[in-house]
Amino acid sequence: MGLMRRFSNIFKAKASKTLDKYEDPRETLDYSYERTLEMLQKMRRAVADVATSRKRIELQAQQLQRSAAKLEGQAKQAVSQNREDLAIEALTRRQSIATQLTDLQAQHDQLKAEEARMVEASQRLQTKVDSFRIRKETMKANYTAAEAQTKVNEAISGIGEEMGDVGLAMQRAEDKVAQMQARSGALDELMASGALDDASMSSDRLQAELDRGFAEPAVEAELARLKGELTGGGTTAKQLGAPDQETARSGAPAPAEAPVEEDRR
Amino acid sequence: MIVRISGEGQFEVPDRHVEELNRLDEDLTKAVDGGDEAQFTAALQALLTSVRTAGEELPADWLGPSDLVLPSPDATIHEVREVLGDEGLIPG
């Protein structure tokens, strides 16, 4: 037997099992209708699960993008200080974040497609359920045992098949969500471990060295000023905190405004 | 006859088209038995396209069983085997 028929037979056998049959076809109709309503509820929850998983990935991507941007800035700082070693370190970290981001994008696209399919499937089921409800009432009102059996069976197999199909779609979506959640969890752990952090976080050697790179010229200038004062020479001290240095430091915690307040006292 | 494409909908396909579907089904069966994913995707697309072109999609509120149910367009061999369960490994 070809695949097409094997697949059909098993699918239909499974679908027909989703609905119990009662002695009185009218009862079967009511029962089937209840089941389809339950299925619609489940379907909506499944769509929400996929959306939650997608949003989690979006948050992770935002976090990684922020880190990547900071590392880019740090690499620039390092280059401006002629610290190629630090620049390479920052760019290497940025590269591994870029890889993670590509992976996240692919997962995100998959989930989005899955979400769209689920929404479509639930709309289809909704239409069938509405049609089933109307037919069910008509059949019950004009019920005669002779004609009922065939008509009822047709409507029930139809709705049962739709439920089987929706059930399959839901199973797929659940599998995907479970896979993505496992990967998201692994990425969360990786992020928590600091492996993907930008260098301004925690006591990071990269940022510390960059800060020192900016602090040293300033300290030297201060030293020169003091020396100038002591020797009584009229040499003008170099200005501290030149604007280019201030803006380049934005990655580090901003120094408190304490000196200004002292001046005001 | 009525053919359902899983995840897509139901189509009414003229009975004279069955021969063509059977022919395309042979390729699909070979692909699944051989476990060749690329061949499977190509054969499945060919089969589904044939149903869509020869058949007419039934309205969304139509209610009735299908004579044939086909896997969804993006199904994989793995997913098909999962539906087939044990029987998937025994060519009937």
Side-chain angles (χ1 to χ4, degrees):
Chain A
M1 201 195 295
L3 182 103
M4 185 166 74
R5 290 187 202 278
R6 268 190 281 157
F7 189 88
S8 302
N9 291 348
I10 292 168
F11 181 95
K12 282 161 53 167
K14 279 185 180 164
S16 77
K17 267 188 225 150
T18 58
L19 298 174
D20 289 343
K21 306 279 194 300
Y22 292 85
E23 198 108 327
D24 184 339
R26 285 170 291 191
E27 274 181 70
T28 316
L29 283 171
D30 285 332
Y31 169 77
S32 304
Y33 182 63
E34 291 307 315
R35 289 298 311 277
T36 55
L37 293 184
E38 282 167 28
M39 192 67 163
L40 268 176
Q41 287 293 328
K42 270 198 222 164
M43 193 72 183
R44 293 202 180 102
R45 278 198 294 271
V47 172
D49 282 349
V50 176
T52 307
S53 195
R54 171 178 57 78
K55 282 180 196 141
R56 186 176 175 197
I57 285 177
E58 282 166 9
L59 283 177
Q60 285 181 326
Q62 282 168 15
Q63 212 174 326
L64 288 178
Q65 265 152 3
R66 277 196 296 270
S67 288
K70 273 191 186 165
L71 282 166
E72 169 92 31
Q74 285 171 331
K76 277 187 190 148
Q77 283 179 34
V79 169
S80 77
Q81 291 177 23
N82 287 322
R83 289 294 306 271
E84 207 169 292
D85 57 328
L86 295 183
I88 287 172
E89 188 173 334
L91 291 175
T92 309
R93 288 195 208 175
R94 194 171 143 272
Q95 196 53 47
S96 80
I97 288 179
T99 312
Q100 294 287 347
L101 274 172
T102 313
D103 193 37
L104 279 186
Q105 187 60 49
Q107 290 182 48
H108 183 260
D109 292 350
Q110 266 189 52
L111 281 181
K112 262 211 121 154
E114 203 59 57
E115 204 177 328
R117 264 200 295 269
M118 301 276 289
V119 169
E120 227 176 86
S122 54
Q123 280 163 355
R124 239 186 354 251
L125 182 62
Q126 180 71 66
T127 311
K128 300 259 187 219
V129 170
D130 292 342
S131 154
F132 185 74
R133 193 192 58 238
I134 296 164
R135 271 228 233 163
K136 169 174 88 81
E137 292 314 319
T138 318
M139 283 189 273
K140 279 166 73 180
N142 309 321
Y143 180 77
T144 59
E147 62 157 13
Q149 207 62 52
T150 11
K151 280 191 178 173
V152 166
N153 279 347
E154 194 179 81
I156 287 172
S157 330
I159 201 79
E161 202 182 287
E162 193 66 30
M163 280 174 49
D165 198 15
V166 163
L168 209 61
M170 229 154 45
Q171 183 62 50
R172 281 170 61 120
E174 277 166 15
D175 288 352
K176 281 246 168 68
V177 166
Q179 267 176 33
M180 303 278 168
Q181 277 173 349
R183 292 169 81 170
S184 279
L187 184 58
D188 273 343
E189 275 176 32
L190 195 62
M191 284 160 93
S193 77
L196 295 177
D197 281 350
D198 64 83
S200 66
M201 288 172 128
S202 69
S203 52
D204 187 275
R205 190 183 60 80
L206 206 161
Q207 185 62 42
E209 290 206 32
L210 284 174
D211 287 346
R212 194 155 61 236
F214 281 116
E216 271 164 12
V219 169
E220 274 164 32
E222 274 284 79
L223 189 64
R225 183 179 61 81
L226 287 176
K227 278 182 185 163
E229 278 176 17
L230 287 175
T231 54
T235 41
T236 322
K238 281 186 203 163
Q239 277 293 297
L240 285 177
D244 59 333
Q245 289 181 3
E246 279 302 317
T247 46
R249 275 174 83 141
S250 57
E257 298 271 313
V260 181
E261 276 189 27
E262 274 172 25
D263 286 349
R264 281 196 196 126
R265 271 180 214 150
Chain B
M1 67 173 173
I2 310 293
V3 180
R4 171 184 290 272
I5 296 179
S6 193
E8 193 169 312
Q10 288 166 292
F11 295 78
E12 182 153 26
V13 179
D15 286 344
R16 61 189 145 78
H17 196 69
V18 171
E19 276 310 302
E20 167 81 358
L21 295 186
N22 282 336
R23 196 180 55 74
L24 292 165
D25 180 40
E26 275 177 36
D27 297 339
L28 188 70
T29 310
K30 271 184 219 151
V32 171
D33 290 344
D36 186 334
E37 199 71 57
Q39 199 190 333
F40 169 78
T41 307
L44 181 60
Q45 294 317 317
L47 180 61
L48 300 186
T49 305
S50 172
V51 169
R52 290 187 201 112
T53 27
E56 210 164 307
E57 186 160 10
L58 289 162
D61 61 351
W62 189 85
L63 263 184
S66 311
D67 301 297
L68 279 178
V69 181
L70 303 178
S72 68
D74 58 348
T76 59
I77 292 186
H78 174 76
E79 281 166 0
V80 168
R81 283 189 175 150
E82 215 152 68
V83 172
L84 297 181
D86 292 338
E87 276 187 59
L89 302 170
I90 309 161

